[in-house]
Amino acid sequence: MIDISAEEFKNRLPELQIVDIRTEAEVLDFDLGGLHLPFDELLEKLDTIDFLKNQEFVIICYTGLQSKVAATILRKRGFEGVRNLTGGIEAFLSL
């Protein structure tokens, strides 16, 4: 269970923990809630999401590319439940 489709994400949105790695400006433009941790600060601020290490959560960006990289990094750091939103917010908004 690595990626999550836009359809499953939409259906499960109320119950999902989200980590949004987009820039501040992107989040202000369209905010799905959750935790905001910009991609360029991810490694230096891993301790802020340490509580998610053994939980399922979805990492999101606009197109799904940066979040896929971030999910790979997080898995290597012990975050077993991280899932990437396939196609990012762009896919979610196209539903």
Side-chain angles (χ1 to χ4, degrees), residues 3-22:
D3 289 343
I4 185 170
S5 69
E7 293 83 9
E8 182 183 352
F9 180 77
K10 181 180 180 181
N11 292 336
R12 295 187 55 209
L13 190 57
E15 71 188 62
L16 290 172
Q17 175 67 52
I18 299 170
V19 176
D20 192 332
I21 61 166
R22 296 176 298 148

